[in-house]
Amino acid sequence: MNMDLDKIVVKIEKDKDCLDLPIPRLASKFASGIDLYSAEKETVVLNSGDIKLISTGIKISLPVGYEAQIRPRSGLAYHNGITVLNSPGTIDSDYRGEIKIILINHGKKDFFINRGDRIAQMVFQKVVYPVLKETNQLDQTKRGEGGFGHTGIKSLPEK
């Protein structure tokens, strides 16, 4: 299979205390996100209901026009109730600090995070830079201001 895939170069710098950890990578050939690992020196206990900031030990450099999004890992969410609190978290192309993950335990049991555990994934996306124009009136649509469940929860009739 010869596919013309979009590729970008993302530079990754590992903290000097994290040389034992693998560089983030795709878990499968066509995965959308790269796995991020806990770089915490000690096991972190994420009690039920707790929120903690977990270090990854990496910094990145993205090309202008791209962002990185931090997203939960589906297995952690389904099996343990662990998710990224500000999902998706955004890393802008001009940010050069360490990537840290805000995890929350929505599960009923305490969850243990060990050094090297895969805790989240990072997906890269193109960014559109808007030109904002102030106006006194927006164009009208059939939907209008309807939001927050205005269509209900039952199936909509076929059209």
Side-chain angles (χ1 to χ4, degrees):
M1 177 188 308
N2 185 6
M3 298 180 70
D4 185 24
L5 302 174
D6 289 338
K7 295 189 181 204
I8 61 170
V9 174
V10 177
K11 296 177 184 175
I12 297 178
E13 178 185 319
K14 289 188 347 182
D15 186 293
K16 64 183 180 221
D17 295 332
C18 295
L19 299 178
D20 61 313
L21 297 174
I23 194 164
R25 61 180 173 262
L26 297 173
S28 65
K29 185 175 182 179
F30 297 115
S32 298
I34 63 173
D35 288 329
L36 297 175
Y37 304 92
S38 169
E40 296 293 332
K41 291 179 175 73
E42 305 290 328
T43 297
V44 174
V45 180
L46 192 57
N47 296 311
S48 179
D50 276 0
I51 300 168
K52 293 210 175 160
L53 191 62
I54 308 296
S55 296
T56 65
I58 64 166
K59 299 175 183 178
I60 63 172
S61 174
L62 291 169
V64 172
Y66 287 87
E67 67 162 332
Q69 295 180 356
I70 305 302
R71 299 181 184 179
R73 296 193 68 239
S74 60
L76 287 179
Y78 178 68
H79 296 293
N80 304 103
I82 306 301
T83 193
V84 176
L85 188 58
N86 63 325
S87 184
T90 298
I91 300 169
D92 299 308
S93 64
D94 57 350
Y95 177 68
R96 294 296 181 269
E98 180 186 0
I99 295 172
K100 295 183 179 186
I101 313 301
I102 305 169
L103 291 181
I104 185 168
N105 183 351
H106 286 299
K108 295 177 181 164
K109 297 179 183 175
D110 296 346
F111 185 76
F112 298 86
I113 302 167
N114 299 300
R115 184 176 179 84
D117 285 352
R118 295 181 295 158
I119 56 168
Q121 58 183 320
M122 186 163 50
V123 175
F124 303 94
Q125 296 288 320
K126 289 183 181 179
V127 174
V128 174
Y129 295 96
V131 176
L132 303 176
K133 182 178 177 184
E134 189 172 357
T135 183
N136 291 325
Q137 185 173 351
L138 299 176
D139 57 307
Q140 300 298 309
T141 66
K142 184 176 179 181
R143 178 177 178 171
E145 294 184 18
F148 296 102
H150 76 284
T151 60
I153 60 172
K154 301 290 184 192
S155 295
L156 294 175
E158 295 292 326
K159 288 191 175 191

